[in-house]
Coordinates of all heavy atoms in Angstrom, one line a residue:
Chain Y
E329 N -46.4 9.9 2.1 CA -45.3 10.0 1.2 C -45.3 8.8 0.2 O -44.5 8.9 -0.8 CB -43.9 10.1 2.0 CG -43.8 11.4 2.8 CD -42.6 11.3 3.7 OE1 -42.1 10.1 4.0 OE2 -42.0 12.4 4.2
I330 N -45.8 7.7 0.6 CA -45.8 6.5 -0.2 C -46.3 6.7 -1.7 O -45.5 6.4 -2.6 CB -46.7 5.5 0.5 CG1 -45.9 5.1 1.9 CG2 -46.7 4.2 -0.4 CD1 -46.7 4.1 2.8
E331 N -47.4 7.3 -1.8 CA -48.0 7.3 -3.1 C -47.1 8.1 -4.1 O -46.7 7.6 -5.1 CB -49.4 8.0 -3.1 CG -50.2 7.6 -4.3 CD -50.5 6.1 -4.5 OE1 -50.6 5.4 -3.5 OE2 -50.4 5.7 -5.7
P332 N -46.8 9.4 -3.8 CA -45.8 10.1 -4.6 C -44.5 9.4 -4.8 O -44.0 9.5 -6.0 CB -45.5 11.4 -3.9 CG -46.1 11.3 -2.5 CD -47.1 10.2 -2.6
V333 N -43.9 8.7 -3.9 CA -42.7 8.1 -4.0 C -42.8 6.9 -5.0 O -41.9 6.7 -5.9 CB -42.2 7.5 -2.7 CG1 -41.1 6.3 -2.8 CG2 -41.5 8.8 -1.9
I334 N -43.9 6.2 -4.9 CA -44.0 5.1 -6.0 C -44.2 5.7 -7.4 O -43.6 5.2 -8.3 CB -45.3 4.2 -5.6 CG1 -44.9 3.5 -4.2 CG2 -45.6 3.3 -6.7 CD1 -46.1 2.6 -3.7
N335 N -45.0 6.7 -7.4 CA -45.2 7.4 -8.7 C -44.0 7.9 -9.3 O -43.8 7.9 -10.5 CB -46.4 8.4 -8.6 CG -47.7 7.9 -8.2 OD1 -47.9 6.6 -8.5 ND2 -48.6 8.6 -7.7
A336 N -43.1 8.3 -8.5 CA -41.8 9.0 -9.0 C -40.9 7.8 -9.4 O -39.8 8.1 -10.0 CB -41.2 9.8 -7.9
G337 N -41.2 6.6 -9.2 CA -40.4 5.5 -9.8 C -39.4 4.9 -8.8 O -38.4 4.3 -9.2
T338 N -39.6 4.9 -7.6 CA -38.7 4.3 -6.6 C -38.8 2.7 -6.9 O -39.8 2.2 -7.3 CB -39.1 4.4 -5.1 OG1 -38.0 4.0 -4.4 CG2 -40.3 3.7 -4.7
D339 N -37.6 2.0 -6.7 CA -37.7 0.5 -6.8 C -38.1 -0.1 -5.5 O -38.7 -1.3 -5.5 CB -36.3 0.1 -7.1 CG -35.9 0.5 -8.6 OD1 -36.7 0.1 -9.5 OD2 -34.9 1.1 -8.7
I340 N -37.8 0.5 -4.4 CA -38.1 -0.1 -3.1 C -38.5 1.0 -2.1 O -38.1 2.1 -2.2 CB -36.8 -0.8 -2.4 CG1 -36.2 -1.7 -3.5 CG2 -37.2 -1.6 -1.2 CD1 -34.7 -2.0 -3.2
I341 N -39.4 0.7 -1.1 CA -39.8 1.7 -0.1 C -39.2 1.2 1.2 O -39.3 0.1 1.5 CB -41.3 1.8 0.0 CG1 -41.7 2.8 -1.2 CG2 -41.7 2.5 1.2 CD1 -43.1 3.2 -1.2
L342 N -38.6 2.1 2.0 CA -38.1 1.8 3.3 C -39.1 2.5 4.3 O -39.2 3.7 4.4 CB -36.6 2.3 3.4 CG -36.2 2.2 4.9 CD1 -36.1 0.8 5.3 CD2 -34.7 2.8 4.9
L343 N -39.7 1.6 5.1 CA -40.5 2.1 6.2 C -39.8 2.2 7.5 O -39.5 1.2 8.1 CB -41.9 1.2 6.3 CG -42.5 0.9 5.1 CD1 -43.6 -0.3 5.3 CD2 -43.2 2.1 4.6
D344 N -39.3 3.4 7.8 CA -38.4 3.5 8.9 C -39.1 3.9 10.2 O -39.8 4.9 10.2 CB -37.3 4.5 8.5 CG -36.1 4.4 9.5 OD1 -35.8 3.2 9.9 OD2 -35.5 5.4 9.7
N345 N -38.8 3.1 11.3 CA -39.3 3.5 12.6 C -40.8 3.7 12.6 O -41.3 4.7 13.3 CB -38.5 4.8 13.0 CG -37.2 4.5 13.6 OD1 -37.0 3.6 14.3 ND2 -36.1 5.3 13.3
M346 N -41.5 2.9 12.1 CA -43.0 2.9 12.2 C -43.4 1.8 13.1 O -42.8 0.7 13.1 CB -43.6 2.6 10.8 CG -43.5 3.7 9.8 SD -44.3 3.4 8.2 CE -44.0 4.9 7.4
D347 N -44.5 1.9 13.8 CA -45.0 0.9 14.7 C -45.7 -0.1 13.7 O -45.9 0.1 12.5 CB -45.8 1.4 15.8 CG -47.0 2.1 15.3 OD1 -47.4 1.9 14.1 OD2 -47.5 3.0 16.0
D348 N -46.1 -1.2 14.3 CA -46.5 -2.4 13.5 C -47.9 -2.0 12.8 O -48.2 -2.3 11.7 CB -46.8 -3.6 14.4 CG -45.5 -4.1 15.0 OD1 -44.5 -3.9 14.4 OD2 -45.6 -4.8 16.0
R349 N -48.7 -1.3 13.5 CA -50.0 -0.9 12.9 C -49.7 0.0 11.7 O -50.3 -0.2 10.7 CB -50.8 0.0 14.0 CG -52.1 0.5 13.4 CD -52.6 1.5 14.2 NE -52.8 1.2 15.6 CZ -54.0 1.0 16.1 NH1 -55.1 1.1 15.5 NH2 -54.1 0.7 17.4
T350 N -48.8 1.0 11.8 CA -48.6 1.9 10.7 C -47.9 1.1 9.5 O -48.3 1.4 8.4 CB -47.6 3.0 11.1 OG1 -48.1 3.5 12.4 CG2 -47.7 4.3 10.1
V351 N -47.1 0.2 9.9 CA -46.6 -0.6 8.8 C -47.7 -1.4 8.1 O -47.7 -1.5 6.8 CB -45.6 -1.7 9.4 CG1 -45.1 -2.8 8.4 CG2 -44.3 -1.0 10.0
G352 N -48.6 -1.9 8.8 CA -49.7 -2.6 8.2 C -50.4 -1.6 7.2 O -50.8 -2.1 6.1
E353 N -50.8 -0.4 7.6 CA -51.4 0.5 6.7 C -50.6 0.8 5.5 O -51.0 1.0 4.4 CB -51.7 1.8 7.5 CG -52.8 1.6 8.6 CD -53.0 2.8 9.3 OE1 -53.1 3.9 8.8 OE2 -53.1 2.8 10.7
A354 N -49.3 0.9 5.8 CA -48.4 1.3 4.7 C -48.5 0.2 3.6 O -48.5 0.4 2.4 CB -46.9 1.5 5.2

Side-chain angles (χ1 to χ4, degrees):
Chain Y
E329 290 172 342
I330 293 174
E331 201 60 39
V333 156
I334 292 179
N335 292 338
T338 194
D339 291 302
I340 311 164
I341 280 190
L342 173 58
L343 307 170
D344 195 36
N345 279 316
M346 289 181 176
D347 59 26
D348 295 340
R349 178 202 303 255
T350 317
V351 169
E353 290 176 46

